[in-house]
Amino acid sequence: MKLLAIITPNPDTPAETFVRQHIRLISPKKTVVVYFEGDGLSVKNIPSLKINRNFKKFSFEKLYNLIFWGYSGVIDKKNELNIINFFCEHKVSSVFAEFGPTGCLISKICKKLNLKLVVNFHGHDATVMGKRYLIRRAYRFLNSNVNTVVCGSMHFKKIVASVGISFEKIKVVPCGIELESFKNDQKKNSNLIIGVGRFVEKKAPHLSIKAFDIVQKKIPEAKLELIGGGKLYDNCKELIKNLYLEEKITLHGVKTHKFVKERLSVASIFVQHSITAKNGDTESQGVSLLEAMASKLPVVTTDHNGFKETVANETTGYLVEENDYKEMAKKIIYLLLNKNKLKTMGENGYRYAKSNYESRKIAKRLNKIIFEEG
């Protein structure tokens, strides 16, 4: 029996729903998990092993890894032996690593045990970390040991290739969406706009707020809800206060995925004004956009990286230029004033997501890459 080991920094991270989806669906009942952080609540019914990474400033072990494996991150000898025993006990044949640095960390063990290694690059691991010389060097070492790398869009494939992974080793496999878990037959609040995502520079929540400020001057009954937390949360709270929008904008903070689904089910439009951060950080595919489409919401977002592969402009939503919050406001106003168009776009989005991003179809593609392809 072929068994899959998924190795991830933290299986419980709220925003990384795709990690838990991979654990459940790629190889059901034939998966074990290795992780570094978190309580492991999401994998409590799955064979799992928690280990520690060594982040000490210097050790000869780190120096050895840097010279011979390209990556200074260390799994110490004790934990390395624990992983080897864990893999052998469960007869693991293939390893799926979430994020580039995790792949670097586990590649030594995979080579020692002659295990197939597939690494999933997702965003920050290439766009920001990939700018560092030592990380690019580590990725070149990884390239010689990895069987396949997967990423979420054609646009992102080019970025991953630019940081040291052979283009021919990279396969585009987007994140999937479990359509049946989203409610899309609820009565919608016709003037409710919603955004979901971390309050960080690349998601630019302040620009969504500025766009809404224009919208509510034209359509006073409009409301905006934003779900998420992060470094820019307090700044956004202050911006809302300065714009006198406390009665019209609700900041929910970090919430469960169940709560997110419930709010998506009653909203009418989804917004996300993603931009390229000053340090180069960008989105890969935009999982939250898929969740909105699964909820039959038209998406108003930016023409940012792989988003044009997720959102069909003028069919399932609108793409505007990065930082052009005024144009974003125009698109939102148009949809709020044209309910038939709003509904049609929402229906189109659902069909598009079902056809291209259904989670079990995506999981089957990953299963084939991991267990059948070279």
Side-chain angles (χ1 to χ4, degrees):
M1 181 175 69
K2 295 179 179 179
L3 209 76
L4 173 66
I6 293 181
I7 179 165
T8 181
N10 186 345
D12 302 320
T13 302
E16 293 168 3
T17 55
F18 62 92
V19 172
R20 292 182 287 282
Q21 193 179 103
H22 289 159
I23 292 169
R24 288 197 314 275
L25 299 179
I26 292 177
S27 187
K29 298 182 181 179
K30 298 177 184 177
T31 297
V32 298
V33 177
V34 176
Y35 65 101
F36 311 129
E37 301 167 7
D39 297 323
L41 295 177
S42 60
V43 293
K44 63 181 180 180
N45 297 320
I46 299 171
S48 59
L49 174 69
K50 184 176 182 179
I51 62 167
N52 295 315
R53 289 174 292 185
N54 184 354
F55 288 113
K56 291 179 181 177
K57 288 187 177 180
F58 176 80
S59 71
F60 286 107
E61 198 171 10
K62 289 185 77 171
L63 182 61
Y64 175 88
N65 271 21
L66 182 62
I67 294 171
F68 293 101
W69 291 91
Y71 187 60
S72 61
V74 169
I75 298 173
D76 62 32
K77 291 295 183 183
K78 179 182 177 181
N79 280 306
E80 182 177 315
L81 184 60
N82 287 340
I83 293 173
I84 290 172
N85 289 337
F86 182 72
F87 283 178
C88 291
E89 176 190 350
H90 292 283
K91 297 180 172 59
V92 169
S93 63
S94 301
V95 174
F96 185 81
E98 301 282 8
F99 312 109
T102 312
C104 294
L105 202 61
I106 202 68
S107 63
K108 179 180 175 183
I109 292 174
C110 290
K111 187 167 185 178
K112 185 177 289 187
L113 297 179
N114 195 30
L115 301 177
K116 184 173 182 179
L117 175 61
V118 177
V119 179
N120 179 31
F121 275 73
H122 193 70
H124 185 273
D125 47 1
T127 59
V128 176
M129 297 185 73
K131 292 181 181 295
R132 304 172 194 166
Y133 169 76
L134 288 178
I135 292 294
R136 291 199 307 275
R137 182 174 179 270
Y139 287 164
R140 289 195 293 272
F141 273 77
L142 174 64
N143 186 57
S144 64
N145 294 305
V146 72
N147 295 85
T148 305
V149 163
V150 296
C151 68
S153 69
M154 279 301 301
H155 181 94
F156 192 53
K157 177 175 180 175
K158 296 173 185 176
I159 295 174
V160 175
S162 74
V163 299
I165 305 298
S166 299
F167 196 79
E168 62 273 13
K169 282 192 173 185
I170 307 169
K171 296 183 184 295
V172 176
V173 183
C175 292
I177 187 77
E178 295 179 84
L179 291 162
E180 68 279 3
S181 71
F182 288 83
K183 300 174 184 177
N184 51 45
D185 56 356
Q186 303 287 99
K187 184 176 180 180
K188 303 284 189 182
N189 180 332
S190 61
N191 293 301
L192 178 59
I193 305 155
I194 192 167
V196 181
R198 289 175 295 133
F199 280 56
V200 294
E201 185 184 357
K202 70 178 178 181
K203 294 185 184 289
H206 63 290
L207 295 180
S208 293
I209 292 169
K210 287 184 176 182
F212 177 77
D213 184 39
I214 297 171
V215 171
Q216 62 88 28
K217 288 173 182 174
K218 180 75 174 180
I219 305 174
E221 58 271 28
K223 301 283 186 181
L224 173 65
E225 294 185 11
L226 296 176
I227 303 173
K231 292 180 179 179
L232 298 181
Y233 186 88
D234 289 339
N235 291 6
C236 288
K237 195 172 182 180
E238 186 67 21
L239 175 61
I240 291 167
K241 182 179 178 181
N242 292 339
L243 293 172
Y244 304 101
L245 293 174
E246 295 104 317
E247 298 299 317
K248 296 191 175 185
I249 298 180
T250 301
L251 299 184
H252 288 292
V254 178
K255 293 292 183 180
T256 64
H257 201 215
K258 180 181 178 182
F259 180 88
V260 170
K261 291 176 181 178
E262 288 173 352
R263 297 316 298 161
L264 286 172
S265 72
V266 296
S268 286
I269 299 173
F270 183 88
V271 294
Q272 183 169 312
H273 200 109
S274 294
I275 62 172
T276 301
K278 291 176 183 176
N279 66 355
D281 195 11
T282 63
E283 308 270 16
S284 170
Q285 176 194 350
V287 175
S288 60
L289 310 183
L290 291 179
E291 295 188 345
M293 291 158 70
S295 305
K296 293 189 177 179
L297 302 185
V299 173
V300 183
T301 187
T302 49
D303 188 0
H304 172 82
N305 281 6
F307 281 13
K308 65 178 65 177
E309 297 172 44
T310 304
V311 178
N313 191 33
E314 299 188 355
T315 301
T316 67
Y318 291 112
L319 298 172
V320 303
E321 293 299 314
E322 292 185 22
N323 295 296
D324 193 352
Y325 66 88
K326 293 180 181 178
E327 185 62 24
M328 171 173 266
K330 288 180 184 178
K331 299 301 185 186
I332 295 169
I333 291 168
Y334 174 78
L335 287 173
L336 289 177
L337 294 177
N338 293 271
K339 301 300 185 185
N340 287 338
K341 184 70 172 178
L342 185 153
K343 184 177 180 181
T344 299
M345 278 192 163
E347 295 282 354
N348 289 344
Y350 178 81
R351 286 193 293 270
Y352 190 74
K354 185 176 182 179
S355 176
N356 296 283
Y357 299 106
E358 200 282 318
S359 58
R360 282 165 182 78
K361 292 179 183 177
I362 299 297
K364 283 182 180 179
R365 286 170 63 184
L366 288 172
N367 185 287
K368 185 175 181 180
I369 288 169
I370 293 166
F371 292 116
E372 297 179 26
E373 298 180 7

